[in-house]
Amino acid sequence: MTAGLPRSFRHIQVLAKQHANTITLGQLMRNTRSDPVSLIRQGQWLRGQLPIRFARRLDEFLQLPYVVVHNKNIKQVLDIYVDTFESVSDFPSILTEKDEAEFAGLVQAQLQKHQAVARLIAEGYREVRMAYPHFRLDSFLDRLFITRISVRILMENYIRMRTPQEGYIGVVQKDMSPHRIIQELSQEILRLTEAIYGVAPEIEFRGNMSCTLDYIPRHVQFMCQELLKNAVRATTERHKPRDRQNFGFASEPVMPKVVVELQKGDVHVIIKISDQGGGVPKKVQDEAWQYGWTTADNDHEDEEDPYSGCTWRKELAGYGFGLPLTRLHAQYFGGDVFMQALPGHGTDMYLLLNHLKQGSPSTEEDDPSTALTVTENQSVNAP
């Protein structure tokens, strides 16, 4: 892409106005089969649908103010989206197993290129708002990340179709254990907290720790990582000893625990993460869900991109994207996340996850991406 418009600008404009086919997670799961006919069919569908989805986001990108779209980080994301759009659009028809294998290689390569997108957007948005504090792009970012969640599921599920894994239907793990995921995350979070602060609170698990559900593990890892990281950091910063050498003696109070409680209802698995980290003042509780709101220092430790693993590099810490992205991921399949804060004491965060079994309402009803696509289809068809 040059400094001006991409060479495919007119093609982007045309496809952005085309009708995109919607698909539910249930339909995707039922079509997740590894035989050559199914792989070719899914490859053909993606080759036709991915360019439309990327074209719509690109069309929005190119309508952003000049100072936004020419920020070096945001422009890098724009270039990645243009590259994906052009690579998929230019790919020839998929007719044979060889064609499909080559297309799968292209999809895999594009997935790798998109790993840094969340971090680049967060860095770019922070830089833009530092120069222009009145700029708010929450609606644009919601649509961007809703589409990102959707296309990542479609692309990753397609790659998973080629190598079926026991206990999985594509990207969905059957009988996934949230307790096991959170336990693994907690070990890494506590280790890094101790490395940074010298101390860390204990994490206590309560409730139905044997509960399971069908879900996408990577989504649960990202959401729980964000909520647990916030709770541990708030607790540590509020209760860390003034004199580390005396920590644990009578002169210093014992650091309160972070409590993780799991329960399983008829519709949801509920994960409650409670801390005594001081809470959030009432006047800023709504702001906490806006992109860019943060209490972390800009030079704080890095946070992990939600799609490149969960080693907690923390590449987003200090950018304020964690809570709004957690809410988007939860709401995507009909769940939610909400906060109950007691200013001056602590915070309870509730994460509700819908069961994603085949045929359940959460897999057959329209998700936010489908709703967004329907809305955009209606605007395309409007006189």
Side-chain angles (χ1 to χ4, degrees):
M1 180 177 166
T2 65
L5 295 173
R7 66 173 176 83
S8 54
F9 174 65
R10 295 198 180 280
H11 191 198
I12 290 169
Q13 286 188 310
V14 170
L15 286 193
K17 296 178 181 178
Q18 286 194 9
H19 189 282
N21 294 334
T22 60
I23 186 171
T24 67
L25 181 64
Q27 291 171 321
L28 187 68
M29 293 168 73
R30 286 189 289 275
N31 291 324
T32 298
R33 296 187 293 271
S34 59
D35 61 281
V37 173
S38 296
L39 290 171
I40 290 173
R41 185 184 300 117
Q42 185 65 11
Q44 292 171 337
W45 189 87
L46 283 177
R47 179 185 172 274
Q49 292 299 311
L50 287 179
I52 297 175
R53 286 160 167 75
F54 280 104
R56 288 179 169 177
R57 300 289 71 81
L58 282 166
D59 191 49
E60 276 203 290
F61 259 116
L62 296 171
Q63 294 180 50
L64 291 173
Y66 178 88
V67 295
V68 177
V69 77
H70 278 267
N71 172 274
K72 64 178 182 179
N73 291 301
I74 294 178
K75 187 178 182 301
Q76 190 173 340
V77 174
L78 176 60
D79 290 346
I80 292 171
Y81 272 57
V82 169
D83 180 72
T84 301
F85 173 82
E86 293 178 347
S87 298
V88 177
S89 297
D90 294 345
F91 196 88
S93 298
I94 301 171
L95 303 175
T96 66
E97 293 182 38
K98 182 175 181 294
D99 297 337
E100 187 277 324
E102 292 177 358
F103 183 70
L106 170 65
V107 170
Q108 182 70 65
Q110 291 300 324
L111 278 169
Q112 292 296 320
K113 291 182 179 181
H114 281 258
Q115 285 188 357
V117 162
R119 175 181 57 80
L120 291 169
I121 287 289
E123 289 180 351
Y125 188 55
R126 183 183 67 174
E127 291 167 356
V128 168
R129 294 207 66 231
M130 287 176 65
Y132 302 93
H134 63 286
F135 274 13
R136 291 228 59 94
L137 299 176
D138 290 73
S139 296
F140 165 80
L141 291 170
D142 272 346
R143 291 190 293 273
L144 176 72
F145 283 112
I146 286 171
T147 300
R148 176 175 166 79
I149 292 170
S150 171
V151 298
R152 296 288 304 200
I153 291 172
L154 293 173
M155 294 167 77
E156 289 179 349
N157 196 82
Y158 170 58
I159 297 301
R160 289 284 190 93
M161 287 173 65
R162 305 177 60 80
T163 54
Q165 185 178 353
E166 186 178 356
Y168 284 78
I169 303 177
V171 294
V172 176
Q173 182 181 359
K174 296 186 288 184
D175 297 322
M176 183 203 71
S177 168
H179 175 246
R180 184 177 296 115
I181 288 176
I182 301 172
Q183 203 168 35
E184 292 174 357
L185 288 172
S186 66
Q187 293 171 2
E188 179 69 2
I189 289 172
L190 293 180
R191 184 186 67 79
L192 289 169
T193 301
E194 288 190 12
I196 294 166
Y197 296 100
V199 293
E202 181 183 345
I203 297 176
E204 178 181 336
F205 290 88
R206 298 177 182 172
N208 183 359
M209 288 176 280
S210 62
C211 68
T212 61
L213 77 163
D214 293 7
Y215 213 86
I216 301 175
R218 185 169 291 183
H219 287 197
V220 177
Q221 289 169 341
F222 170 67
M223 292 183 285
C224 291
Q225 173 182 277
E226 177 61 29
L227 300 181
L228 191 59
K229 170 186 68 69
N230 289 347
V232 169
R233 180 166 63 85
T235 301
T236 306
E237 291 184 348
R238 183 173 176 82
H239 296 279
K240 63 185 176 183
R242 293 182 295 275
D243 182 356
R244 290 184 181 180
Q245 291 181 342
N246 293 330
F247 183 64
F249 292 91
S251 58
E252 291 288 353
V254 176
M255 186 175 293
K257 299 176 182 179
V258 171
V259 177
V260 178
E261 182 176 350
L262 298 99
Q263 299 294 345
K264 186 172 185 177
D266 293 336
V267 178
H268 301 101
V269 164
I270 303 101
I271 302 171
K272 177 185 176 185
I273 299 179
S274 305
D275 67 67
Q276 296 180 38
V280 180
K282 189 173 181 62
K283 63 180 180 180
V284 298
Q285 287 181 22
D286 289 339
E287 296 177 17
W289 301 100
Q290 295 177 353
Y291 292 96
W293 186 89
T294 180
T295 59
D297 297 329
N298 289 338
D299 61 351
H300 216 275
E301 62 273 14
D302 290 335
E303 179 184 62
E304 179 61 40
D305 183 306
Y307 292 105
S308 58
C310 285
T311 55
W312 205 38
R313 292 200 318 266
K314 308 182 199 73
E315 291 180 348
L316 301 182
Y319 297 116
F321 273 51
L323 281 181
L325 285 181
T326 297
R327 183 163 63 179
L328 275 189
H329 279 77
Q331 292 178 344
Y332 195 87
F333 293 118
D336 208 348
V337 60
F338 58 92
M339 173 194 304
Q340 185 175 23
L342 296 174
H345 176 69
T347 304
D348 293 336
M349 297 297 299
Y350 296 84
L351 175 61
L352 280 62
L353 303 176
N354 269 356
H355 304 293
L356 299 185
K357 286 189 179 295
Q358 290 191 68
S360 65
S362 53
T363 64
E364 302 303 333
E365 293 178 356
D366 289 347
D367 56 50
S369 174
T370 297
L372 176 62
T373 301
V374 169
T375 300
E376 291 176 334
N377 284 342
Q378 290 171 343
S379 67
V380 165
N381 296 331

